[in-house]
Amino acid sequence: MAERENAVAVVGLGVMGANLARNFASRGLAVAGYDRSPDAGSRLQAEAPEAQIQVADSLAALVAGLERPRRIVVLVNAGAPVDAVIEALDPLLEKDDVLIDAGNSLYKDTDRRRKLAEQRPWRFMGMGVSGGSEGALRGPALMPGGDQEAWTRMRPVLEAIAAVGSGGPCVTYCGAGSAGHFVKMVHNGIEYGDMQLITEAALLLRDGLGLEPAAVADTFERWNQGELSSYLIEITARIFRVEDPQAPGTLLVDAVLDQAGQKGTGRWTVIAALELGVAIPTIAAAVDARNLSALRPVRLLAEQALARAAHAPLGGITADDVAAALYAAKLASYTQGFAMLETASRELGYGVDLPEIARIWTGGCIIRASLLESVRQAFSAEPRPELLALAPTFASQLRERWPAWRRVVAAATAAGYAIPGLATSLAWMETLTTGHGTASLIQAQRDYFGSHGYQRTDAPDESVHTDWSSGQT
């Protein structure tokens, strides 16, 4: 490497890492890069010569060329590759150097790495990055957490590259420990839910109501001008206008195999919610739907074996009803996600600032939406709502949309459409708003077969047991 002190280094020059390095450089920072594949560095320099990124041939050379205390951002595949990079950098780093894992790491791995760093002179942070490759280049939403001194040192360069949303750069200190990666995990869980709900709405518009693709695109564009305005709604409208280049006059999306992929963050979100005792059925339904999509051969077999009838046309609902159901289900999903963040903040000691999380999600990230500014306002109000859906504005919106939501789910179910996201979200909301449901009978059953005890309504602080065969307590 030529003689130059670099302000920041990026380890891992794949699509995300390369674009993040270019982003740093575009803000006037001197950037160094390293990738175990020499081709990745050469490609970056050839594609973006204006960035003047210095590519090192070893981690030792990379570290030697950085101003002290050093700033190093690692963007490699989650799991063992992150551990390998940290192990290689460990002996090269000095007091107050900052090492950031900016990949999609499991938060428990981040906790383990943080404990290692506490025994070292250098500092460690876990940071979520959202916005895809384009966001990494032009401005992502960034979710750093962990060492607060490291955040202070990294803050200027992270604010420089972040997207700008309502209220400033879309980056904030998410909290102690593994908070950064936990917040990103929940973001991705909400993203799973959003995508599932939107695709179900598109299914009902096109197949259920018989709209032509151009009309479906027009409907999503209209929705994107109102309360449903979001990045995912915007790109869905565009998708319904793209023709298949191999079959002009047909839609490209119709040529895409009906089998969705996933990288694990949605599944991690569901597992973490179970461990925390937080119900997130919308996100869980979205993860289950992707798992079922992977069983495409079995689904095709089951369709024949069970002589599944063709879908019937949807009756008694309109596109506006579908919009109302989508918005209400989206509120349910966001309520679940933020409840999970609040519980984790309390149980894991993160200290997450919920209004700030909503603010940094207003730009750059995949779930960016106009709704998030209202979420920020709801969590900033006094008194703070027990749950997001109970904030006065959202409670009013849900009451207005509830009848349409029920109509959509009932009509779709009667016509044979699979809408797990919309239906599960409605079931969650119906359960949440039922003061006396099914739990009393469950407790009676548990006490009957397992002598687990139960509490009476007239003595809720006392546990009692009944011999249900004789009725004796």
Side-chain angles (χ1 to χ4, degrees):
M1 291 173 61
E3 290 298 324
R4 183 181 87 178
E5 267 202 333
N6 293 296
V8 64
V10 176
V11 176
L13 300 177
V15 175
M16 287 290 290
N19 280 358
L20 204 68
R22 292 174 61 186
N23 191 346
F24 279 123
S26 72
R27 315 299 171 167
L29 296 167
V31 183
Y34 171 80
D35 195 284
R36 64 179 184 176
S37 169
D39 290 344
S42 300
R43 184 166 54 250
L44 171 59
Q45 289 179 318
E47 292 177 354
E50 75 287 350
Q52 298 183 353
I53 294 168
Q54 287 192 345
V55 177
D57 58 8
S58 68
L59 285 174
L62 180 87
V63 170
L66 288 170
E67 64 183 28
R68 293 169 173 76
R70 302 174 178 92
R71 303 183 183 102
I72 301 175
V73 178
V74 178
L75 246 172
V76 299
N77 291 334
V82 178
D83 289 323
V85 171
I86 292 175
E87 182 179 357
L89 284 171
D90 183 14
L92 303 174
L93 300 181
E94 300 172 342
K95 181 176 172 57
D96 291 333
D97 290 347
V98 176
L99 179 61
I100 295 185
D101 171 17
N104 264 339
S105 289
L106 177 63
Y107 73 99
K108 291 183 178 181
D109 286 343
T110 303
D111 280 324
R112 172 173 53 79
R113 292 161 186 148
R114 176 180 55 83
K115 289 177 182 177
L116 167 69
E118 287 174 352
Q119 304 168 28
R120 301 291 194 270
W122 47 270
R123 300 179 180 276
F124 177 75
M125 299 188 80
M127 181 174 74
V129 178
S130 180
S133 58
E134 189 68 15
L137 177 62
R138 307 197 182 282
L142 301 171
M143 294 153 257
D147 190 308
Q148 249 184 323
E149 288 297 320
W151 159 242
T152 300
R153 169 132 175 87
M154 290 299 303
R155 183 173 183 172
V157 297
L158 295 181
E159 287 185 341
I161 66 167
V164 177
S166 60
C170 293
V171 57
T172 193
Y173 177 70
C174 290
S178 55
H181 277 136
F182 194 96
V183 169
K184 175 56 163 52
M185 178 186 73
V186 174
H187 166 283
N188 284 22
I190 294 173
E191 178 185 312
Y192 271 59
D194 266 3
M195 294 173 72
Q196 181 64 31
L197 294 170
I198 290 169
T199 57
E200 290 175 17
L203 171 72
L204 297 182
L205 292 176
R206 189 180 181 193
D207 292 4
L209 295 179
L211 299 187
E212 293 296 325
V216 174
D218 290 343
T219 301
F220 274 97
E221 286 179 356
R222 176 166 57 85
W223 289 355
N224 199 44
Q225 302 306 310
E227 63 187 12
L228 284 169
S229 172
S230 71
Y231 172 71
L232 287 170
I233 292 286
E234 176 187 337
I235 67 170
T236 302
R238 293 178 180 175
I239 287 169
F240 276 100
R241 297 199 190 279
V242 178
E243 286 193 356
D244 183 353
Q246 297 183 29
T250 66
L251 278 184
L252 178 57
V253 69
D254 290 341
V256 177
L257 189 66
D258 182 41
Q259 190 167 310
Q262 55 182 309
K263 293 185 176 179
T265 47
R267 176 168 52 85
W268 294 346
T269 309
V270 173
I271 293 170
L274 287 171
E275 292 174 343
L276 290 167
V278 180
I280 57 166
T282 306
I283 296 169
V287 173
D288 285 343
R290 293 203 193 185
N291 289 336
L292 278 169
S293 80
L295 302 177
R296 186 169 179 271
V298 177
R299 289 188 289 120
L300 294 173
L301 178 64
E303 184 177 47
Q304 295 177 354
L306 298 178
R308 191 191 194 288
H311 291 134
L314 287 179
I317 67 168
T318 66
D320 288 342
D321 289 333
V322 176
L326 175 57
Y327 184 78
K330 187 182 179 77
L331 277 180
S333 180
Y334 273 70
T335 298
Q336 295 162 27
F338 275 91
M340 184 175 175
L341 283 178
E342 187 161 36
T343 301
S345 181
R346 181 176 63 251
E347 298 294 325
L348 304 179
Y350 287 153
V352 176
D353 185 332
L354 295 185
E356 269 290 274
I357 299 304
R359 182 192 68 77
I360 67 170
W361 286 350
T362 61
C365 67
I366 301 301
I367 66 169
R368 59 186 183 268
S370 59
L371 170 66
L372 281 156
E373 175 56 27
S374 297
V375 173
R376 185 196 67 77
Q377 293 173 10
F379 280 125
S380 299
E382 292 294 342
R384 185 153 139 177
E386 187 73 20
L387 287 171
L388 180 63
L390 302 182
T393 298
F394 290 142
S396 175
Q397 292 176 343
L398 283 169
R399 285 193 298 269
E400 292 173 4
R401 289 156 183 78
W402 214 320
W405 194 5
R406 286 172 173 152
R407 285 197 302 273
V408 167
V409 171
T413 302
Y417 289 93
I419 50 163
L422 291 170
T424 300
S425 301
L426 177 61
W428 175 83
M429 190 63 73
E430 302 283 17
T431 304
L432 177 68
T433 55
T434 299
H436 185 84
T438 60
S440 56
L441 180 55
I442 289 173
Q443 286 299 85
Q445 291 169 334
R446 294 179 71 245
D447 191 50
Y448 194 114
F449 67 69
S451 301
H452 293 292
Y454 61 92
Q455 289 78 39
R456 292 177 54 90
T457 56
D458 53 5
D461 296 327
E462 299 177 17
S463 179
V464 294
H465 165 63
T466 293
D467 182 347
W468 291 85
S469 62
S470 66
Q472 298 296 312
T473 298

